[in-house]
């Protein structure tokens, strides 16, 4: 997983995946098939082009797909997390996070419902180039949704609205 790609060959070695139900997806031949319980779904379109790992929220509490990085797979070091997902309109969204707990950040990214194309952790905080970072000649938008702010202050968004009370 050196390049951060989510793929079947590396997925089982790095991640634990849980889903309590059988669920449909398209295989590499573009055929609609069912994945067994606890088997990740690497979806494809009707022509067999990969569209990413499917993570569904589930219909009831506890029914969601869960992909968790295996314990101690990365460790708690300063890292830049890179996450690409496929939006409903077909656009690829590339986000970057600065994290001192890459394991928790990756788990949170993969906990989002949708189609995940790639995930990776790069050691250290990559330079902020004006709201984005560049890694391997690709631009990744730095997320500005949640900031830690000053110690002792509430966690809030970029407009200063508190999300969690102090």
């Amino acid at each position: 997983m050196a390049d951060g790609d989510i793929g079947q060959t590396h997925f089982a070695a790095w991640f634990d995946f849980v889903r309590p139900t059988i669920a449909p997806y398209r295989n590499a031949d573009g055929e609609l098939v069912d994945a067994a319980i606890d088997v990740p779904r690497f979806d494809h379109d009707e022509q067999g082009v990969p569209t990413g790992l499917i993570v569904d929220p589930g219909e009831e509490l506890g029914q969601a797909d869960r992909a968790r990085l295996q314990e101690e797979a990365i460790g708690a070091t300063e890292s830049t997390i890179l996450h690409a997902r496929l939006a409903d309109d077909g656009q690829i969204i590339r986000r970057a996070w600065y994290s001192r707990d890459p394991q928790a950040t990756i788990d949170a990214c993969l906990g989002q419902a949708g189609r995940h194309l790639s995930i990776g952790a790069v050691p250290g905080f990559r330079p902020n180039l004006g709201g984005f970072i560049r890694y391997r000649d690709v631009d990744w938008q730095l997320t500005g949704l949640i900031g830690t702010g000053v110690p002792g202050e509430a966690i809030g968004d970029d407009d200063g609205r508190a999300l969690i009370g102090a």
Side-chain angles (χ1 to χ4, degrees):
M1 197 164 104
D3 62 0
D5 289 339
I6 297 176
Q8 293 174 338
T9 57
H10 298 294
F11 191 80
W14 287 85
F15 294 91
D16 294 320
F17 184 85
V18 177
R19 184 185 54 261
T21 60
I22 293 170
Y25 74 105
R26 288 196 184 276
N27 65 18
D29 294 326
E31 300 168 341
L32 196 58
V33 296
D34 287 328
I37 291 172
D38 296 337
V39 173
R41 295 174 294 157
F42 292 91
D43 202 30
H44 298 76
D45 65 16
E46 291 179 359
Q47 287 74 42
V49 176
T51 60
L53 171 70
I54 299 176
V55 174
D56 283 334
E59 294 179 15
E60 299 177 17
L61 186 63
Q63 295 295 307
D65 294 353
R66 291 181 300 283
R68 297 268 185 228
L69 194 61
Q70 291 177 5
E71 196 68 32
E72 302 302 321
I74 289 179
T77 59
E78 289 185 350
S79 297
T80 303
I81 306 303
L82 306 171
H83 178 229
R85 65 180 179 83
L86 189 64
D88 291 339
D89 64 3
Q91 178 183 356
I92 296 175
I93 299 170
R94 291 181 176 87
R95 302 279 167 126
W97 284 264
Y98 293 140
S99 177
R100 288 193 169 89
D101 188 348
Q103 199 148 357
T105 305
I106 288 172
D107 288 348
C109 288
L110 290 179
Q112 300 171 32
R115 286 181 163 75
H116 303 273
L117 300 174
S118 65
I119 190 94
V122 180
F125 297 149
R126 304 291 293 188
N128 181 342
L129 303 174
F132 69 96
I133 64 114
R134 187 164 291 129
Y135 182 70
R136 295 188 177 173
D137 297 322
V138 175
D139 292 342
W140 301 77
Q141 179 185 355
L142 279 165
T143 184
L145 298 177
I146 299 177
T148 56
V150 178
E153 291 186 4
I155 294 176
D157 64 13
D158 286 342
D159 294 324
R161 296 175 294 214
L163 301 176
I164 300 173

